[in-house]
């Protein structure tokens, strides 16, 4: 290496080390640091709604509660006086301040929680719930237990994260003013408010979503920073975009966008409108003026919020200016007669009048002392005014249109308006531009209501705002010079929800009543399944039975997302995103959702309530991941779905699993127990109380016990997937399946579904698929934990006994690398001595392990448990799962039984059947794993003795 390159190398290393040292020491010991944030889309282990977990490290502040930090409380309350309103654990106003100042004080993690909540409230978010707990045993950056978990229920992720960051900066700034030299609380709060404005629902959308929530109607935001929202699920869904709905007519909306066409249609049916026309040139404008005379209004043909509008034009010079101003927005300019009077908005929903408001444009009243600019500043100090929609009113901002309007009134911002002079600052009365409103719902004349309703029926809109100019809305306008000047296809609701003066009107309610009549909730049934083993099989079995009744089922599994039996997306789809895909599909009648531990831990649930929740079992798997160290903790995580069972829903539990039964109290609805033991005392006590259970009698009959009455369902020998009872785990899966579908399916259809569900590749890919090769039986499955491996051993032994103990038994297996060594060792111990040959391989994704690490642990454990080294073959590093399969196939002989645990099932199946077995007798089409990918054609042999033969695909 030459000297120059060596110098560059040394400098690079120095910079890297310096940057890392700085990053590690950027937070002083006596400061609060955010370590991590986890956004939960829905119910989770910490709360029942959408929430954010913030992990904070207090450092040496762990030793300093709030009452011992000199000046901290006073400074904090000076910056955020609204913290006085927080009740905290005392349940009364001032409770949090009491906690701050009492003898023991409170820890700064708790302070961080309240500050983050209040910042969101100041940004317009109605946030009230949070909790802070120290993470026991978690060592912070200063070597002590100083790490806390803060959980806050939130409205949107972006605002909450911004508020959390500001909370941290604010606390650290109070502790040390030099820590953030450029810190300005008010400026940074404005930035949080702007983020809230971007990502939060506006007043109209928010009110409709809140009303839907009160009615039990679920909602899904379809696009970030947008008011496009789905209300309801599946086939029962509706959509809104602010106050435009899925019921809104496209042609009617287009008509309303064309102001001139709208007025022409209203004029055609005798509704009073201002006289005028459209001009593309000043000469055309003057020709219109000759017919209608001054005063005038000029405005663009299809703009909103007062952009490009000039009012009260009284001469040609002002007309020219107004015309040119409007043409900055559109070529077509409306020239209308200016009507003196008040500005009224009449709201019509589903053809009926619901509210009316008088709108007053943004303005100030001169006092003869202050300049116009000073009057505007004073107006903006009104605590009811915010920078957007987070408050009742919006601040008045000076823009080009404001400056023009002030100029039209022969004023400048530096002039002092006379005492009592009304200075208009916006040409329209929109609240979003600083206007105010007064509710006039109770005084509007009935004839004016009829006129507005007729206007909306003429245009054909489901929701619309009718803009009326009249001197008095309480008398009929038709003969008093009043006119309808505009029809709005997507009217804002804020003036009605929060009028500056008068009674608020819940105008969101009639919208929901229109979209969801007869108290419909817009929901479809949800069946959620969780547990350690059997989730995918049970989910598929439930789907199979529901499809027999004609239901279009949306299914999520570890294999992908299926809509009506068609694979729409391939992958591990057991989290909240996949659930929302199904619930967003407008064709789905019922959702069956495999719900895994990982999704719950990472992002929570993708839905609020379910109709059926099934917890199959809890066993040793995935421990040590994401902070879950024990089986009891795992049971608590999986039990989250039980928290969300409706009051009239069903929570289905495994009575043979004590950890599952420990979650029983979390179910608000009906409890249904499942047991393989007919005499299980827990089951007996349950059914004696008239409750429902599914169990197995000693002679192999599956029984439904309901209201202390017993109904035989089916014998296990009539269930193909039970393999004559050898697959006892599938017998148990059948019990769970029955319990889940009882609310929706007749006994006859349940029997049909149980007897027609087979473990073949077409119905259950990768789950107990049996192929007959070389006269031997190859069982393709995936047992990824000790409990599953033990169940597979029982199945293989059952098959082996059926064929008179002829042939040999082999296991091709490996375990995921993210399992702890203890689980890997335990798994090998379970299978040791149960097979004649072991082909140890590793998963394609090593999940953090070194090549060969898992394989060698398995081999060592097998050897320690009595397996001869000649019985073991290992495949790792450059040898893949396919090499293990190839060796197994070479070893395979007549009557052998092989349990082949596949990691990549599609790849292994293709390699085994096509590349190795050279099957060519009958053609099937393996459906491509990703939608849109070209289907691939493979072949396999039909054997006459195959008991669960795949049928050729169409």
């Amino acid at each position: 290496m030459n000297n120059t390159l060596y110098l560059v190398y040394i400098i690079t290393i120095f910079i890297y080390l310096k940057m890392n040292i700085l990053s590690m020491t950027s937070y002083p010991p006596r400061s609060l640091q955010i370590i991590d944030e986890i956004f939960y889309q829905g119910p989770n282990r910490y709360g029942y709604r959408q929430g954010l977990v913030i992990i904070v490290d207090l450092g040496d502040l762990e030793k300093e509660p709030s009452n011992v930090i000199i000046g901290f409380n006073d400074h904090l309350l000076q910056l955020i006086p609204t913290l006085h309103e927080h009740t905290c654990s005392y349940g009364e106003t001032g409770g949090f301040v009491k906690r701050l100042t009492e003898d023991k004080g409170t820890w700064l993690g708790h302070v961080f929680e309240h500050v983050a909540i209040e910042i969101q409230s100041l940004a317009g978010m109605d946030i009230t719930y949070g909790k802070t707990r120290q993470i026991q045993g978690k060592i912070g950056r200063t070597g002590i237990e100083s790490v806390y978990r803060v959980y806050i229920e939130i409205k949107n992720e972006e605002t909450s994260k911004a508020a959390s960051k500001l909370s941290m900066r604010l606390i650290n700034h109070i502790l040390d003013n030099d820590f953030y030299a450029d810190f300005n609380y008010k400026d940074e709060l404005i930035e949080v408010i702007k983020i809230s404005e971007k990502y939060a629902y506006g007043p109209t959308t928010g009110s409709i979503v809140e009303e839907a929530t009160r009615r039990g109607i679920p909602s899904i935001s379809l696009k970030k920073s947008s008011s496009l929202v789905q209300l309801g699920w599946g086939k029962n869904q509706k959509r809104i975009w602010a106050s435009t709905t899925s019921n809104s007519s496209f042609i009617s909306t287009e008509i309303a966008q064309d102001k001139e066409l709208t007025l022409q249609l209203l004029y055609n049916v005798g509704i009073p409108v201002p006289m005028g026309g459209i001009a593309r040139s000043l000469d055309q404008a003057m020709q219109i003026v000759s017919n209608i005379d001054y005063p005038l209004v000029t405005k663009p043909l299809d703009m909103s919020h007062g952009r490009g509008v000039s009012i009260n034009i009284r001469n040609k010079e002002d007309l020219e200016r107004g015309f040119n101003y409007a043409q900055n927005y559109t070529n077509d300019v409306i020239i209308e007669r200016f009507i003196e009077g008040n500005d009224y908005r009449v709201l019509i929903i589903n053809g009926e009048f619901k509210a009316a408001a008088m709108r007053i444009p943004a303005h100030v009243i001169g006092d003869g002392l202050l300049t116009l600019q000073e009057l505007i500043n004073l107006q903006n100090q009104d605590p009811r005014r915010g920078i957007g929609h987070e408050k009742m009113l919006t601040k008045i901002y000076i823009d080009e249109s404001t400056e023009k309007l002030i100029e039209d009134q022969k004023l400048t911002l530096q002039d002092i308006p006379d005492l009592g002079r009304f200075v208009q600052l916006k040409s329209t009365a929109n609240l979003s531009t600083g206007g105010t409103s007064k509710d006039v719902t109770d005084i509007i004349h009935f004839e004016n209501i009829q006129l507005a309703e007729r206007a909306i029926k003429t245009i054909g809109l489901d929701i619309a705002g009718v803009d009326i100019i009249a001197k008095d809305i309480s008398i009929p306008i038709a003969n008093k010079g009043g006119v309808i000047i505009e029809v709005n296809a997507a009217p804002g609701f804020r003036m009605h929800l929060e009028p500056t003066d008068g009674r608020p009107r819940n105008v969101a309610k009639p919208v929901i009543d229109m979209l969801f009549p007869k108290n419909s909730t817009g929901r479809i049934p949800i069946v959620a399944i969780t547990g350690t083993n059997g989730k995918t099989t049970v989910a598929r079995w439930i789907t199979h039975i529901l499809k027999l009744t004609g239901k279009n089922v949306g299914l999520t599994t570890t294999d992908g997302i299926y809509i009506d039996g068609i694979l729409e997306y391939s992958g591990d789809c057991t989290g909240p995103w996949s659930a929302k895909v199904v619930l967003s599909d407008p064709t789905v009648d019922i959702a069956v959702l495999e719900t895994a531990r990982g999704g719950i831990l990472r992002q929570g649930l993708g839905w609020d309530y379910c109709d059926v929740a099934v917890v199959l079992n809890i066993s040793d798997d995935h421990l040590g991941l994401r902070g879950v160290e024990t089986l009891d903790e795992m049971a608590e995580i999986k039990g989250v779905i039980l928290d969300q069972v409706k009051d009239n829903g069903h929570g289905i539990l495994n009575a043979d699993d004590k950890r599952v039964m420990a979650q029983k109290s979390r179910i608000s609805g009906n409890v249904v127990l499942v047991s393989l033991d007919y005499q299980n005392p827990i089951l007996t006590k349950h059914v004696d109380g008239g409750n429902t259970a599914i169990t197995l009698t000693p002679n192999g009959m599956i029984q439904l016990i309901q209201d202390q009455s017993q109904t035989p369902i089916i014998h296990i020998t009539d269930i193909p997937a039970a393999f004559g009872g050898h697959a006892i785990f599938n017998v148990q899966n059948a019990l769970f399946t029955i319990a889940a579908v009882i609310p929706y399916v007749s006994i006859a259809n349940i029997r049909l579904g149980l007897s027609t569900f087979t473990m073949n590749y077409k119905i259950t890919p990768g789950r107990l698929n049996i192929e007959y090769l070389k006269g031997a039986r190859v069982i393709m499955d995936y047992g990824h934990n000790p409990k599953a491996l033990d169940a597979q051993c029982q199945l293989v032994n059952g098959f082996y006994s059926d064929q008179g103990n002829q042939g040999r038994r082999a296991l091709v297996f490996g375990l995921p690398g993210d399992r702890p060594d203890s689980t890997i060792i335990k798994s090998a111990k379970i299978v040791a001595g149960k097979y004649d040959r072991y082909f140890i391989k590793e998963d394609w994704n090593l999940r953090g392990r070194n090549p060969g690490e898992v394989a060698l642990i398995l081999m060592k454990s097998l050897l320690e448990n009595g397996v001869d080294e000649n019985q073991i073959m290992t495949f790792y590093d450059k040898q893949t799962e396919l090499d293990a399969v190839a060796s197994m196939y070479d070893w395979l002989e007549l009557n052998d039984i092989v349990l082949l645990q596949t990691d990549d099932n599609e790849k292994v199946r293709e390699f085994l059947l096509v590349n190795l077995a050279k099957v060519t007798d009958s053609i099937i089409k393996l459906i491509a794993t990703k939608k849109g990918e070209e289907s691939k054609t493979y072949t396999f042999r039909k054997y006459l003795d195959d008991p669960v033969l795949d049928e050729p695909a169409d």
Side-chain angles (χ1 to χ4, degrees), residues 723 726 768-780 792-812 834-839 888-889 891-901:
F723 294 100
H726 296 316
L768 218 59
N769 305 153
I770 299 180
E771 298 294 340
Y772 288 84
L773 305 170
K774 293 184 175 180
R777 183 164 12 198
V778 178
I779 308 165
M780 286 189 278
Q792 290 172 340
C793 289
Q794 294 179 45
L795 174 69
V796 170
N797 286 337
F799 287 157
Y800 190 63
S801 175
D802 284 349
Q803 62 188 39
N805 297 334
Q806 297 183 37
R808 301 168 298 172
R809 291 161 293 180
L811 175 64
V812 183
K834 305 292 177 60
Y835 297 91
D836 302 299
R837 182 62 64 96
Y838 298 86
F839 299 88
M888 176 275 294
Y889 186 76
W891 173 87
L892 196 65
E893 293 179 357
L894 180 69
N895 291 327
D896 288 345
I897 302 173
V898 176
L899 196 291
L900 169 56
Q901 292 205 58

Side-chain angles (χ1 to χ4, degrees), residues 671-805:
V671 176
V672 179
L673 297 187
V674 164
S675 176
L676 289 170
D677 181 2
Y678 186 77
Q679 295 179 324
N680 183 327
I682 296 174
L683 188 83
T684 301
K685 181 179 178 181
H686 179 73
V687 297
D688 285 348
N691 299 302
T692 302
I694 313 292
T695 187
L696 182 68
T697 65
N699 67 359
M701 178 62 71
I702 295 176
Q703 293 269 28
L704 164 65
I705 307 175
Q706 199 169 38
D707 297 325
Q708 297 185 330
S709 172
Q710 298 187 18
T711 303
I713 302 294
I714 194 171
H715 196 276
I716 60 173
T717 55
D718 294 323
I719 302 175
F723 294 100
H726 296 316
I728 193 64
F729 52 89
N730 265 352
V731 174
Q732 189 177 59
N733 289 338
L735 303 184
F736 282 113
T737 299
I738 295 166
V741 299
I742 280 289
Y744 310 107
V745 182
S746 68
I747 297 297
N749 278 324
I750 291 174
R751 290 189 181 110
L752 178 63
L754 294 171
S755 62
T756 56
F757 183 79
T758 56
M759 303 301 293
N760 62 46
Y761 177 76
K762 186 175 181 181
I763 296 178
T764 57
R767 297 296 186 275
L768 218 59
N769 305 153
I770 299 180
E771 298 294 340
Y772 288 84
L773 305 170
K774 293 184 175 180
R777 183 164 12 198
V778 178
I779 308 165
M780 286 189 278
D781 197 18
Y782 184 49
H784 52 285
N785 56 68
K787 193 77 172 179
L789 288 165
D790 187 42
Q792 290 172 340
C793 289
Q794 294 179 45
L795 174 69
V796 170
N797 286 337
F799 287 157
Y800 190 63
S801 175
D802 284 349
Q803 62 188 39
N805 297 334

Side-chain angles (χ1 to χ4, degrees), residues 817-831:
D818 57 4
R819 296 337 187 238
D821 287 2
S822 58
T823 297
I824 298 172
I825 292 169
K826 182 178 179 180
S827 298
K829 185 176 181 180
I830 284 173
V831 300

Side-chain angles (χ1 to χ4, degrees), residues 52 109 123 254 367 392 435 450 493 517 572 587 597 667 682 709 765 812 856 923 926:
L52 184 72
E254 286 292 295
D367 63 0
M392 178 188 296
Q450 288 184 314
F493 287 178
D572 188 345
T587 67
R597 159 212 59 92
I667 302 172
I682 296 174
S709 172
V812 183
L856 294 176
I923 297 177
L926 296 181

